[in-house]
Amino acid sequence: MCIRKYENSDFDQLCHVMDRARLQELKTANMEQVFIQLGNAPYLGYLLKCKIYVATKEGKIVGFVGLRPHELSFLYVDPTFQKHGVGKKLMEFALKQLERPIKLDVFTDNLAAKILYEKYGFKVVKTVVEKWSNEYPIEFSQDTMEMK
């Protein structure tokens, strides 16, 4: 597996990974009805302003991280490649890039992600329960985690 900087030509593969993993993530919070494909998502611009690095296997993108100063903004792995060390490698790569303290947000019920983050020393510092949007007035719980 190789981790490299994102290139504009990676966009379609990045969307594929994000869409598959995001739907899985939303299902853990019983919120799949709010799923929007990355190409139409309101947070697309936010993602593209991050420093993005992609994990590839045999030339195919299998996961990625999006980084901002002191923030792990995105870490997604294609569900087909989960439990193969991709998330671990991306996490280790991200931690080398970021200065402490590092923050991230994760759905409270996303236990698989939280176990990974806790393994590297992240701790929950805040939990917020809020409404998704006016269009989807579903309550969800999100944890802010921090590594000092």
PDB file of all heavy atoms in Angstrom, residues 48-67:
ATOM      1  N   LEU A  48     -12.130  19.639  -0.008  1.00  0.00           N
ATOM      2  CA  LEU A  48     -11.120  19.963  -1.018  1.00  0.00           C
ATOM      3  C   LEU A  48     -10.136  21.041  -0.554  1.00  0.00           C
ATOM      4  O   LEU A  48      -9.071  21.196  -1.148  1.00  0.00           O
ATOM      5  CB  LEU A  48     -11.793  20.362  -2.331  1.00  0.00           C
ATOM      6  CG  LEU A  48     -12.563  19.220  -3.015  1.00  0.00           C
ATOM      7  CD1 LEU A  48     -13.283  19.728  -4.249  1.00  0.00           C
ATOM      8  CD2 LEU A  48     -11.658  18.036  -3.346  1.00  0.00           C
ATOM      9  N   LYS A  49     -10.473  21.768   0.522  1.00  0.00           N
ATOM     10  CA  LYS A  49      -9.537  22.742   1.086  1.00  0.00           C
ATOM     11  C   LYS A  49      -8.585  22.105   2.091  1.00  0.00           C
ATOM     12  O   LYS A  49      -7.666  22.748   2.574  1.00  0.00           O
ATOM     13  CB  LYS A  49     -10.294  23.903   1.720  1.00  0.00           C
ATOM     14  CG  LYS A  49     -10.918  24.802   0.671  1.00  0.00           C
ATOM     15  CD  LYS A  49     -11.648  25.962   1.293  1.00  0.00           C
ATOM     16  CE  LYS A  49     -12.279  26.789   0.168  1.00  0.00           C
ATOM     17  NZ  LYS A  49     -13.398  27.576   0.632  1.00  0.00           N
ATOM     18  N   CYS A  50      -8.822  20.834   2.422  1.00  0.00           N
ATOM     19  CA  CYS A  50      -7.928  20.098   3.310  1.00  0.00           C
ATOM     20  C   CYS A  50      -6.688  19.655   2.534  1.00  0.00           C
ATOM     21  O   CYS A  50      -6.699  19.613   1.297  1.00  0.00           O
ATOM     22  CB  CYS A  50      -8.619  18.830   3.838  1.00  0.00           C
ATOM     23  SG  CYS A  50      -9.973  19.090   4.985  1.00  0.00           S
ATOM     24  N   LYS A  51      -5.651  19.290   3.268  1.00  0.00           N
ATOM     25  CA  LYS A  51      -4.536  18.558   2.668  1.00  0.00           C
ATOM     26  C   LYS A  51      -5.009  17.114   2.623  1.00  0.00           C
ATOM     27  O   LYS A  51      -5.241  16.494   3.663  1.00  0.00           O
ATOM     28  CB  LYS A  51      -3.271  18.676   3.510  1.00  0.00           C
ATOM     29  CG  LYS A  51      -2.626  20.023   3.438  1.00  0.00           C
ATOM     30  CD  LYS A  51      -1.309  20.017   4.190  1.00  0.00           C
ATOM     31  CE  LYS A  51      -0.666  21.378   4.069  1.00  0.00           C
ATOM     32  NZ  LYS A  51       0.585  21.450   4.838  1.00  0.00           N
ATOM     33  N   ILE A  52      -5.186  16.588   1.426  1.00  0.00           N
ATOM     34  CA  ILE A  52      -5.734  15.244   1.253  1.00  0.00           C
ATOM     35  C   ILE A  52      -4.623  14.297   0.815  1.00  0.00           C
ATOM     36  O   ILE A  52      -3.841  14.620  -0.087  1.00  0.00           O
ATOM     37  CB  ILE A  52      -6.870  15.223   0.204  1.00  0.00           C
ATOM     38  CG1 ILE A  52      -7.968  16.218   0.582  1.00  0.00           C
ATOM     39  CG2 ILE A  52      -7.441  13.817   0.051  1.00  0.00           C
ATOM     40  CD1 ILE A  52      -9.010  16.414  -0.512  1.00  0.00           C
ATOM     41  N   TYR A  53      -4.591  13.151   1.462  1.00  0.00           N
ATOM     42  CA  TYR A  53      -3.661  12.085   1.097  1.00  0.00           C
ATOM     43  C   TYR A  53      -4.473  10.829   0.884  1.00  0.00           C
ATOM     44  O   TYR A  53      -5.391  10.535   1.654  1.00  0.00           O
ATOM     45  CB  TYR A  53      -2.628  11.863   2.202  1.00  0.00           C
ATOM     46  CG  TYR A  53      -1.775  13.076   2.450  1.00  0.00           C
ATOM     47  CD1 TYR A  53      -2.145  14.025   3.392  1.00  0.00           C
ATOM     48  CD2 TYR A  53      -0.615  13.290   1.718  1.00  0.00           C
ATOM     49  CE1 TYR A  53      -1.371  15.161   3.610  1.00  0.00           C
ATOM     50  CE2 TYR A  53       0.167  14.424   1.928  1.00  0.00           C
ATOM     51  CZ  TYR A  53      -0.216  15.348   2.882  1.00  0.00           C
ATOM     52  OH  TYR A  53       0.542  16.477   3.088  1.00  0.00           O
ATOM     53  N   VAL A  54      -4.137  10.086  -0.171  1.00  0.00           N
ATOM     54  CA  VAL A  54      -4.881   8.877  -0.514  1.00  0.00           C
ATOM     55  C   VAL A  54      -4.008   7.642  -0.305  1.00  0.00           C
ATOM     56  O   VAL A  54      -2.800   7.684  -0.509  1.00  0.00           O
ATOM     57  CB  VAL A  54      -5.402   8.920  -1.971  1.00  0.00           C
ATOM     58  CG1 VAL A  54      -6.411  10.045  -2.153  1.00  0.00           C
ATOM     59  CG2 VAL A  54      -4.272   9.049  -2.978  1.00  0.00           C
ATOM     60  N   ALA A  55      -4.659   6.576   0.129  1.00  0.00           N
ATOM     61  CA  ALA A  55      -4.009   5.274   0.246  1.00  0.00           C
ATOM     62  C   ALA A  55      -4.396   4.485  -0.991  1.00  0.00           C
ATOM     63  O   ALA A  55      -5.585   4.404  -1.331  1.00  0.00           O
ATOM     64  CB  ALA A  55      -4.475   4.559   1.507  1.00  0.00           C
ATOM     65  N   THR A  56      -3.409   3.931  -1.670  1.00  0.00           N
ATOM     66  CA  THR A  56      -3.689   3.163  -2.881  1.00  0.00           C
ATOM     67  C   THR A  56      -3.140   1.746  -2.757  1.00  0.00           C
ATOM     68  O   THR A  56      -2.129   1.513  -2.103  1.00  0.00           O
ATOM     69  CB  THR A  56      -3.069   3.820  -4.133  1.00  0.00           C
ATOM     70  OG1 THR A  56      -1.654   3.864  -3.997  1.00  0.00           O
ATOM     71  CG2 THR A  56      -3.603   5.235  -4.337  1.00  0.00           C
ATOM     72  N   LYS A  57      -3.863   0.841  -3.383  1.00  0.00           N
ATOM     73  CA  LYS A  57      -3.437  -0.547  -3.524  1.00  0.00           C
ATOM     74  C   LYS A  57      -3.588  -0.889  -4.987  1.00  0.00           C
ATOM     75  O   LYS A  57      -4.673  -0.739  -5.545  1.00  0.00           O
ATOM     76  CB  LYS A  57      -4.315  -1.474  -2.679  1.00  0.00           C
ATOM     77  CG  LYS A  57      -3.753  -1.817  -1.341  1.00  0.00           C
ATOM     78  CD  LYS A  57      -4.571  -2.920  -0.694  1.00  0.00           C
ATOM     79  CE  LYS A  57      -3.854  -3.307   0.574  1.00  0.00           C
ATOM     80  NZ  LYS A  57      -4.627  -4.171   1.436  1.00  0.00           N
ATOM     81  N   GLU A  58      -2.495  -1.287  -5.597  1.00  0.00           N
ATOM     82  CA  GLU A  58      -2.498  -1.635  -7.022  1.00  0.00           C
ATOM     83  C   GLU A  58      -3.123  -0.525  -7.864  1.00  0.00           C
ATOM     84  O   GLU A  58      -3.917  -0.776  -8.769  1.00  0.00           O
ATOM     85  CB  GLU A  58      -3.206  -2.967  -7.238  1.00  0.00           C
ATOM     86  CG  GLU A  58      -2.523  -4.119  -6.521  1.00  0.00           C
ATOM     87  CD  GLU A  58      -3.300  -5.412  -6.556  1.00  0.00           C
ATOM     88  OE1 GLU A  58      -4.326  -5.510  -7.261  1.00  0.00           O
ATOM     89  OE2 GLU A  58      -2.869  -6.338  -5.850  1.00  0.00           O
ATOM     90  N   GLY A  59      -2.802   0.729  -7.517  1.00  0.00           N
ATOM     91  CA  GLY A  59      -3.267   1.887  -8.275  1.00  0.00           C
ATOM     92  C   GLY A  59      -4.688   2.334  -7.969  1.00  0.00           C
ATOM     93  O   GLY A  59      -5.159   3.318  -8.522  1.00  0.00           O
ATOM     94  N   LYS A  60      -5.372   1.630  -7.092  1.00  0.00           N
ATOM     95  CA  LYS A  60      -6.766   1.960  -6.754  1.00  0.00           C
ATOM     96  C   LYS A  60      -6.811   2.630  -5.378  1.00  0.00           C
ATOM     97  O   LYS A  60      -6.174   2.164  -4.429  1.00  0.00           O
ATOM     98  CB  LYS A  60      -7.604   0.676  -6.737  1.00  0.00           C
ATOM     99  CG  LYS A  60      -9.045   0.884  -6.395  1.00  0.00           C
ATOM    100  CD  LYS A  60      -9.794  -0.441  -6.389  1.00  0.00           C
ATOM    101  CE  LYS A  60     -11.227  -0.207  -5.964  1.00  0.00           C
ATOM    102  NZ  LYS A  60     -12.019  -1.410  -5.983  1.00  0.00           N
ATOM    103  N   ILE A  61      -7.578   3.708  -5.260  1.00  0.00           N
ATOM    104  CA  ILE A  61      -7.720   4.381  -3.975  1.00  0.00           C
ATOM    105  C   ILE A  61      -8.620   3.546  -3.068  1.00  0.00           C
ATOM    106  O   ILE A  61      -9.740   3.196  -3.436  1.00  0.00           O
ATOM    107  CB  ILE A  61      -8.286   5.804  -4.146  1.00  0.00           C
ATOM    108  CG1 ILE A  61      -7.276   6.669  -4.913  1.00  0.00           C
ATOM    109  CG2 ILE A  61      -8.603   6.435  -2.777  1.00  0.00           C
ATOM    110  CD1 ILE A  61      -7.762   8.057  -5.259  1.00  0.00           C
ATOM    111  N   VAL A  62      -8.092   3.239  -1.867  1.00  0.00           N
ATOM    112  CA  VAL A  62      -8.826   2.402  -0.915  1.00  0.00           C
ATOM    113  C   VAL A  62      -9.169   3.162   0.370  1.00  0.00           C
ATOM    114  O   VAL A  62      -9.904   2.661   1.213  1.00  0.00           O
ATOM    115  CB  VAL A  62      -8.053   1.107  -0.601  1.00  0.00           C
ATOM    116  CG1 VAL A  62      -7.920   0.247  -1.858  1.00  0.00           C
ATOM    117  CG2 VAL A  62      -6.688   1.408   0.009  1.00  0.00           C
ATOM    118  N   GLY A  63      -8.626   4.379   0.504  1.00  0.00           N
ATOM    119  CA  GLY A  63      -8.913   5.190   1.677  1.00  0.00           C
ATOM    120  C   GLY A  63      -8.243   6.541   1.544  1.00  0.00           C
ATOM    121  O   GLY A  63      -7.444   6.755   0.629  1.00  0.00           O
ATOM    122  N   PHE A  64      -8.579   7.461   2.454  1.00  0.00           N
ATOM    123  CA  PHE A  64      -7.954   8.784   2.406  1.00  0.00           C
ATOM    124  C   PHE A  64      -8.086   9.489   3.743  1.00  0.00           C
ATOM    125  O   PHE A  64      -8.920   9.124   4.579  1.00  0.00           O
ATOM    126  CB  PHE A  64      -8.551   9.642   1.283  1.00  0.00           C
ATOM    127  CG  PHE A  64      -9.956  10.108   1.527  1.00  0.00           C
ATOM    128  CD1 PHE A  64     -10.208  11.339   2.125  1.00  0.00           C
ATOM    129  CD2 PHE A  64     -11.036   9.328   1.165  1.00  0.00           C
ATOM    130  CE1 PHE A  64     -11.499  11.768   2.351  1.00  0.00           C
ATOM    131  CE2 PHE A  64     -12.339   9.745   1.396  1.00  0.00           C
ATOM    132  CZ  PHE A  64     -12.575  10.979   1.990  1.00  0.00           C
ATOM    133  N   VAL A  65      -7.249  10.499   3.927  1.00  0.00           N
ATOM    134  CA  VAL A  65      -7.362  11.404   5.068  1.00  0.00           C
ATOM    135  C   VAL A  65      -7.398  12.826   4.532  1.00  0.00           C
ATOM    136  O   VAL A  65      -6.796  13.131   3.502  1.00  0.00           O
ATOM    137  CB  VAL A  65      -6.193  11.274   6.083  1.00  0.00           C
ATOM    138  CG1 VAL A  65      -6.259   9.965   6.830  1.00  0.00           C
ATOM    139  CG2 VAL A  65      -4.850  11.478   5.431  1.00  0.00           C
ATOM    140  N   GLY A  66      -8.112  13.686   5.258  1.00  0.00           N
ATOM    141  CA  GLY A  66      -8.148  15.125   4.978  1.00  0.00           C
ATOM    142  C   GLY A  66      -7.694  15.835   6.241  1.00  0.00           C
ATOM    143  O   GLY A  66      -8.259  15.617   7.316  1.00  0.00           O
ATOM    144  N   LEU A  67      -6.656  16.650   6.111  1.00  0.00           N
ATOM    145  CA  LEU A  67      -6.044  17.281   7.279  1.00  0.00           C
ATOM    146  C   LEU A  67      -6.116  18.794   7.199  1.00  0.00           C
ATOM    147  O   LEU A  67      -5.969  19.383   6.130  1.00  0.00           O
ATOM    148  CB  LEU A  67      -4.566  16.861   7.374  1.00  0.00           C
ATOM    149  CG  LEU A  67      -4.266  15.365   7.270  1.00  0.00           C
ATOM    150  CD1 LEU A  67      -2.767  15.121   7.293  1.00  0.00           C
ATOM    151  CD2 LEU A  67      -4.960  14.595   8.381  1.00  0.00           C
TER     152      LEU A  67
END
